[in-house]
Amino acid sequence: MLGRQGLKKGVKPFYSILLIILFLFLTAFFKITLRRLSYSLYQENRKFDRIQDEYYFNLREYGRVMRTDRLENLAKKGSLNEKKKGQIIQVIDGKALIID
């Protein structure tokens, strides 16, 4: 019969192999998780870029529609000859609503 000393000597290689396998498994698991998170971040970044591009496009369109010379022309058509402080010009579908 093997005593405690013999049993410990037989189990030590098993523990070391188990430790190596566990280390390799954890390394592979972390690499897979990192790749998954990186891909998710990449997708969210592309979505953010698309939304930001759409925002700046809409901002340019709004600036083009609401430029000052166009608003002055709409104000003159709506019986306002000059700009006044506190004046509101609301443009809806190319028609001007002027509020003093």
Side-chain angles (χ1 to χ4, degrees):
M1 288 266 175
L2 289 174
R4 286 194 132 169
Q5 295 286 342
L7 187 61
K8 284 185 179 179
K9 284 184 181 180
V11 174
K12 281 185 180 180
F14 176 72
Y15 283 146
S16 63
I17 291 173
L18 187 64
L19 186 65
I20 291 170
I21 291 173
L22 182 66
F23 176 74
L24 292 174
F25 175 76
L26 287 175
T27 304
F29 176 75
F30 284 128
K31 280 188 172 186
I32 291 169
T33 304
L34 182 64
R35 182 166 290 174
R36 181 181 55 85
L37 291 174
S38 297
Y39 185 68
S40 297
L41 182 66
Y42 170 72
Q43 284 182 327
E44 291 299 319
N45 195 20
R46 283 185 54 185
K47 195 184 302 181
F48 174 74
D49 287 343
R50 191 170 38 248
I51 290 170
Q52 194 173 25
D53 288 344
E54 185 179 333
Y55 168 75
Y56 284 121
F57 175 76
N58 289 337
L59 194 61
R60 279 194 307 272
E61 284 296 310
Y62 180 75
R64 187 182 62 79
V65 168
M66 301 303 275
R67 49 181 205 260
T68 56
D69 57 339
R70 184 171 183 271
L71 289 178
E72 285 177 5
N73 288 339
L74 287 172
K76 286 178 184 174
K77 285 181 186 176
S79 76
L80 288 177
N81 294 329
E82 57 189 51
K83 296 183 273 188
K84 298 177 188 173
K85 189 173 182 176
Q87 188 176 10
I88 299 172
I89 303 172
Q90 183 177 1
V91 179
I92 301 172
D93 294 330
K95 297 177 184 172
L97 172 66
I98 299 164
I99 304 166
D100 282 323

